[in-house]
Every structure is written in structure tokens, then in C-alpha cells.
Amino acid sequence: LGDRMQKRTGTLEEKLRWAFQLCLSRPPMPAELQVLSRLYEQMQKSYPAAPMKGVALVLLNMEAFSTRE
């Protein structure tokens, strides 16, 4: 998922919205999008080679992803 997010064209917000929708079958609320944006910024500082992979791991590890109906 992280590689797909990185390769996808568009702004960071568009990429985050797309990945959230893909994982949870709903668009993110503004607060959720803000959290993901901040996470991306933190990951970019800590893991500059692959910040999207860190964001993808968080999305895939969310309880809502694993218990989706």
C-alpha cells in the first residue's frame, strides 16, 4: 500500500484520502486526515526513504480495517 500511495499522482491530501477510502471504505473525517498528515510529516523525518510505508502500516493496523463488515 505504501508503494501504491507513493506512486499515485496528486497531493499528499489526495493520496491520504485515497488510501483511507481504500482501507476503510469511507472517506476520512477532517480530524483523521489531519492525524495522517502529521504522521506523514513525522515519518518523513524519521524514515525519509519511505514515509508512505509508515502511514500505510498505520492504516492497515487500524481496528476498523481488520473488523470491517
Side-chain angles (χ1 to χ4, degrees), residues 6 39-55 57:
Q6 191 65 43
L39 174 64
Y40 176 81
E41 291 171 9
Q42 291 173 347
M43 296 302 283
Q44 203 168 26
K45 292 175 187 172
S46 302
Y47 305 100
M52 284 295 186
K53 287 186 180 184
V55 175
L57 286 173

Side-chain angles (χ1 to χ4, degrees), residues 1-2 4-5 15-28 36 52-69:
L1 179 62
R4 289 175 66 190
M5 291 170 69
K15 292 176 182 186
L16 295 174
R17 285 182 183 278
W18 172 80
F20 193 98
Q21 177 76 42
L22 183 68
C23 290
L24 302 178
S25 298
R26 67 170 178 85
L36 290 176
M52 284 295 186
K53 287 186 180 184
V55 175
L57 286 173
V58 168
L59 287 170
L60 295 172
N61 282 302
M62 291 177 65
E63 183 179 349
F65 176 78
S66 61
T67 59
R68 187 168 80 178
E69 292 180 21

